[in-house]
Amino acid sequence: MPHKHNASRRHRIGKMKFKVANWREYEAGLRRRGSLTLWLTPEALSGWAAPRRTTRGGQRHYSDLAIETTLMLGIAFGLRLRQSEGLLSSVLALMGLDLPVPDHTTLSRRARTWKPSAKRRAEPDAPLHVLVDSTGLKIYDAGQWLEEKHGAKSRRGWRKLHLALDADSGEIIAHALTDQDTSDASQVAPLLDQIDDEIGRFTADGAYDGDPTYNAVLRHSTEAKIVIPPRATAVARQEAEPVNQRDRHVASIQADGRLKWQASTGYGKRALIETAMSRYKGIIGRRLRARSCPTQLTEVAIGVAVLNRMLACGRPESVRGKAKAN
């Protein structure tokens, strides 16, 4: 093994240990995530019937809230449309409610045109600390069918899920779904357009480095502090007046090193967005179930709403303990 003869003299960095300070409340929140009352709220049941339309055309039987509730129930428990229909039918029967249940065909059709309801977030006490990153979600397309049917090799199909996270509350406050060839930096402006609150700090990884990202953030919030690691070959523009934030990052890294820069700017907070993406893939799934792009957009929006509702049930408060030597 490399360096095995120097193992006794090598510097060892202790591994930090964390413990959950609010374990009792967090454990109760974890149990509540599986409760059906969390997803079938009185507000959803009272708004089950669609309002009568005054224009020409057929009358809808189900409101958008009823469609959203059924789809959210299926995604929360990992069910297909037919199983979601069956679960909801049995739950309403046990509750003694004589409410019609959207069939799987209606759910599939309405998912193409469904729009998320306007749910305003609570006003933050201070400007937001926004974390942005992207991850890939696999899709089932013709390439996978050819590979399974005929053994032909094909390029794997996937979509890019772009997320914006509130670092203080852990809530996903903006999202976007694009094809696999879309650059991360091009989605900064669409994500920020979904955020009405003032941004105090914006943190992202090196894939977002560049003037387009800085310009988009400063157009949204002129006083925002941007923390993005510049590429290794970046050089500060000495003649630029005034010196912008990126030049200051470059100068700080050249003077003190990248590790000290990360500690001084709080770049380690970016791990929270990595945790959010891992939570999405672990709970919602690594693959999109829908086939068409409009229904995939709806699936992602419902998945984000599910994660935010689960987070509202309880969030762990981790405190740092003593380091454990390796």
Side-chain angles (χ1 to χ4, degrees), residues 4-15:
K4 66 178 181 179
H5 298 294
N6 299 323
S8 60
R9 297 189 297 272
R10 292 176 63 191
H11 175 66
R12 294 185 176 274
I13 300 176
K15 184 177 181 181

Side-chain angles (χ1 to χ4, degrees), residues 9-318:
R9 297 189 297 272
R10 292 176 63 191
H11 175 66
R12 294 185 176 274
I13 300 176
K15 184 177 181 181
M16 297 304 301
K17 296 180 64 177
F18 294 87
K19 66 177 182 178
V20 179
N22 62 333
W23 174 249
R24 181 173 298 180
E25 295 79 6
Y26 179 54
E27 186 181 28
L30 292 176
R31 289 194 297 265
R32 188 166 179 261
R33 291 181 183 184
S35 173
L36 291 174
T37 57
L38 177 65
W39 312 104
L40 292 173
T41 61
E43 293 78 12
L45 297 177
S46 62
W48 200 261
R52 293 189 61 83
R53 60 185 302 175
T54 57
T55 57
R56 298 179 62 183
Q59 297 292 335
R60 286 185 170 181
H61 296 285
Y62 315 101
S63 64
D64 288 339
L65 184 59
I67 299 297
E68 177 183 355
T69 301
T70 310
L71 293 175
M72 186 177 292
L73 189 68
I75 289 181
F77 293 97
L79 304 176
R80 303 292 183 177
L81 295 182
R82 288 179 174 85
Q83 285 74 40
S84 302
E85 176 187 352
L87 174 62
L88 187 58
S89 299
S90 62
V91 171
L92 293 180
L94 292 174
M95 296 174 65
L97 297 176
D98 187 17
L99 293 177
V101 177
D103 59 88
H104 59 276
T105 305
T106 301
L107 292 173
S108 178
R109 183 179 67 253
R110 293 280 296 274
R112 303 190 192 107
T113 58
W114 175 85
K115 299 296 181 183
S117 56
K119 297 178 181 178
R120 184 173 177 81
R121 299 172 57 252
E123 291 291 341
D125 300 331
L128 297 175
H129 182 185
V130 177
L131 311 173
V132 172
D133 206 348
S134 68
T135 186
L137 297 177
K138 187 178 179 181
I139 59 175
Y140 188 91
D141 55 10
Q144 279 71 40
W145 182 85
L146 288 173
E147 186 174 353
E148 293 182 3
K149 186 72 174 178
H150 303 289
K153 292 184 178 180
S154 62
R155 185 180 180 184
R156 182 180 62 179
W158 51 285
R159 303 281 188 196
K160 262 189 179 182
L161 174 61
H162 306 263
L163 297 179
L165 187 79
D166 181 2
D168 297 325
S169 66
E171 180 184 3
I172 299 175
I173 54 180
H175 68 276
L177 187 69
T178 62
D179 57 53
Q180 58 191 20
D181 299 323
T182 303
S183 65
D184 294 343
S186 66
Q187 295 304 304
V188 173
L191 289 174
L192 297 182
D193 290 340
Q194 304 176 36
I195 304 174
D196 297 329
D197 301 317
E198 188 74 12
I199 296 176
R201 183 180 292 268
F202 178 93
T203 304
D205 61 17
Y208 296 86
D209 180 37
D211 290 337
T213 300
Y214 281 84
N215 295 336
V217 176
L218 294 178
R219 277 197 302 267
H220 184 280
S221 301
T222 56
E223 301 297 327
K225 296 182 179 180
I226 304 173
V227 180
I228 299 176
R231 57 182 59 92
T233 58
V235 178
R237 295 170 292 183
Q238 301 294 337
E239 70 280 359
E241 289 292 340
V243 179
N244 58 26
Q245 297 189 48
R246 185 175 185 272
D247 292 336
R248 287 195 290 269
H249 292 324
V250 174
S252 176
I253 292 175
Q254 291 176 348
D256 302 324
R258 192 168 290 266
L259 291 179
K260 287 188 176 180
W261 173 85
Q262 292 180 1
S264 62
T265 57
Y267 181 71
K269 278 278 191 179
R270 202 190 66 83
L272 296 175
I273 187 69
E274 299 283 355
T275 303
M277 292 188 297
S278 176
R279 188 167 64 244
Y280 184 97
K281 291 186 175 182
I283 297 177
I284 307 302
R286 297 177 175 270
R287 184 175 73 87
L288 292 169
R289 304 171 186 172
R291 302 293 180 91
S292 64
C293 186
T295 51
Q296 288 172 355
L297 293 172
T298 298
E299 180 181 342
V300 167
I302 295 292
V304 168
V306 167
L307 290 182
N308 286 336
R309 181 167 293 190
M310 287 184 174
L311 187 68
C313 292
R315 185 185 182 192
E317 297 177 3
S318 299

